[in-house]
Amino acid sequence: ILPFSCSYLLSDRSFLEYIAQNSSCLKSLPQPSNFHLKTLLWFTEKLKKEEKGLMQRLNDNASYLRYELLSKGFKVLGEFTPYIPIFVGDKRIAQNFKTSLLESGVLVNEISYPLVPVDKSRILLIPSVLHTKDDLDFAIQKIIEVAKFMNLI
């Protein structure tokens, strides 16, 4: 799991070893900063040392977040992955939801038309292996508070 801004890349050991040895391959990305390169290399080394532990933690974090949101009445879309989309519908409501969550200290992405059909907007949560249970509980609490205030649940 390699952090890039607001997205994550998940791959197998052979790809991670290639990245660790050939960081110049990142030059094809839109202007990677030294921070991104150093973070990528650090994360690659960490993942090579603890691949199963980190993968298990990622799965645990994603499962916990997905289960808690489903149990609170959110419409969580998709199969199990670390990407957790919550259906919102209207683009403006999704934008307001995203903005309110950001103001509450929770970073989410908004996915709206043309990436998804009109009136199928959603917000996207992406937990990482670095999130603690307290981090996830904080996010869940804020998501619930904002969703109730906006009459989404």
Side-chain angles (χ1 to χ4, degrees), residues 6-148:
C6 294
S7 62
Y8 294 80
L9 176 68
L10 177 64
S11 192
D12 64 16
R13 181 177 291 279
S14 63
F15 179 76
L16 296 175
E17 289 170 356
Y18 175 80
I19 290 289
Q21 295 170 2
N22 301 288
S23 64
S24 63
C25 74
L26 295 175
K27 301 272 189 238
S28 63
L29 294 173
Q31 302 177 357
S33 67
N34 281 339
F35 171 78
H36 282 111
L37 291 174
K38 287 178 182 177
T39 302
L40 173 63
L41 292 175
W42 173 83
F43 223 83
T44 301
E45 290 304 313
K46 189 164 179 64
L47 190 55
K48 281 170 45 178
K49 292 177 187 171
E50 304 181 42
E51 185 171 351
K52 289 186 180 179
L54 291 176
M55 292 302 297
Q56 185 61 51
R57 191 175 327 148
L58 176 65
N59 287 332
D60 291 348
N61 284 350
S63 294
Y64 178 73
L65 190 56
R66 181 178 292 273
Y67 172 78
E68 289 298 316
L69 293 169
L70 283 167
S71 71
K72 304 299 185 221
F74 289 95
K75 185 175 182 183
V76 179
L77 304 174
E79 300 291 321
F80 178 81
T81 69
Y83 296 93
I84 303 172
I86 299 175
F87 180 80
V88 177
D90 184 76
K91 180 179 181 172
R92 281 177 277 159
I93 294 172
Q95 289 170 337
N96 291 339
F97 195 21
K98 174 189 171 188
T99 300
S100 296
L101 286 172
L102 184 57
E103 290 169 355
S104 298
V106 178
L107 177 64
V108 298
N109 293 307
E110 173 212 341
I111 303 174
S112 296
Y113 179 82
L115 298 175
V116 295
V118 175
D119 293 331
K120 301 283 183 185
S121 294
R122 54 206 70 179
I123 61 164
L124 182 64
L125 305 167
I126 309 172
S128 82
V129 298
L130 301 177
H131 287 116
T132 64
K133 185 175 181 300
D134 288 342
D135 294 331
L136 298 175
D137 287 339
F138 173 83
I140 292 164
Q141 175 191 353
K142 295 300 179 182
I143 292 167
I144 291 168
E145 288 173 10
V146 171
K148 283 183 177 178

